[in-house]
Amino acid sequence: MLTEMPSDMVALLAEVIFTYADAIEAAVAVGYSEAELYPGSEVQIQRSQLLRALVGESASSPEDICSLSRSAQWRLPRTVCAIVLSNRELTVRRTPKLPPDVLADLDRPDPCLLMPDPGGPKRLDRMARALDGWTAVLGPTVALPEAANSMRWARTILTAESYGIVAGDGLVRCSDHWATLMLVQDIDLARTVVKERLAPLLELRDDMRNKLVETLLVWLQAGQNACTAATQLCVHSQTVRYRLRQLDDLLGPQLQDPNAQKELIIALSAYQLLENMNNQGMQRDGETEPRTTTSLSPQRNAC
């Protein structure tokens, strides 16, 4: 029958068959990789249930957790850290080949892991290699009963990463973003701090305000060195000094008060975070419309 078909049709048919065979081979490889995570499906189910119990997603007593750990063949460690993966890559990345003692629940919209004893030698390095190519957030190391906190904080930073507030390139560590984590935990408090500490700046035009905020934050972080700040801002040192004179007129004595300077750094960081969130249209969980109250510009009466 093939001898009766035109040669170009035979070539096309062969290409389709080879493409289909490649797709089957890829699917088999993915399935094999997933099956390698744990030796038996029942153990995998038990480990997923144990992970959910440890991070507070299911009501479980200490006795339940001990029973689950035995069924899952998983020794309860003293410390753990949560790791959350971006679901943007679930359809394009192969399942990561994880160390056998890492609890994994990847068949969910918000895939996550729980890593025991993260302080062990080279543990985090091996995990980073296993997650190469993925965007993932490593939660803080906590005692086992506090696993839910590590998971919650990791998810907070992953949300910030998805909106561009935190740079996501490989394994992101919560410990590198404490200030962002603290501010995002309570947006209303962050907004109040900004309005209390930076009120005179909020009356300025957006472009002028943003330049002054950036300059003051960099200057404070540079140990109040105008030349260092100028280098980081890519401007002339006289430009920095001119802006500092403007800031001195607006903010007064707090620029020279060591205690006030600490609060200014927090307020300035909070301002930049809120502006970034507002520009990215970041929402709180469950909201369907972009928040408008992150804006810090003075609200003028329409009447």
Side-chain angles (χ1 to χ4, degrees), residues 190-200 202 293 295-297:
R191 188 181 302 109
T192 299
V193 169
V194 170
K195 289 182 177 179
E196 285 287 329
R197 280 298 181 189
L198 306 180
L202 301 183
T293 54
S295 174
L296 292 164
S297 299

Side-chain angles (χ1 to χ4, degrees), residues 29-46:
V30 170
Y32 179 76
S33 177
E34 291 177 347
E36 275 193 320
L37 278 174
Y38 304 113
S41 59
E42 184 61 31
V43 173
Q44 182 175 351
I45 291 170
Q46 294 291 333

Side-chain angles (χ1 to χ4, degrees), residues 236-247:
H236 196 280
S237 59
Q238 290 301 328
T239 301
V240 171
R241 292 188 178 93
Y242 172 70
R243 292 176 184 174
L244 288 172
R245 286 194 292 272
Q246 291 179 293
L247 287 160

Side-chain angles (χ1 to χ4, degrees), residues 29 48 83 111 186 242 281:
S48 294
I83 301 174
D186 194 334
Y242 172 70

Side-chain angles (χ1 to χ4, degrees), residues 154-167 180 184 273 282:
R155 292 202 187 287
T156 298
I157 292 298
L158 183 62
T159 299
E161 182 277 332
S162 69
Y163 283 94
I165 295 170
V166 168
T180 298
V184 172
L273 174 68
M282 187 172 177

Side-chain angles (χ1 to χ4, degrees), residues 28 35 48-49 57 102-103 145 166 185 202 216 243 274 300:
V28 170
S48 294
Q49 291 175 348
E57 293 181 0
V102 172
L103 297 183
V166 168
Q185 291 292 305
L202 301 183
L216 180 54
R243 292 176 184 174
L274 291 168
R300 292 176 174 79

Side-chain angles (χ1 to χ4, degrees), residues 50 61-71 76:
L50 176 59
S61 66
E63 292 76 17
D64 294 333
I65 289 176
C66 287
S67 176
L68 272 174
S69 70
R70 287 192 295 269
S71 300
L76 294 176

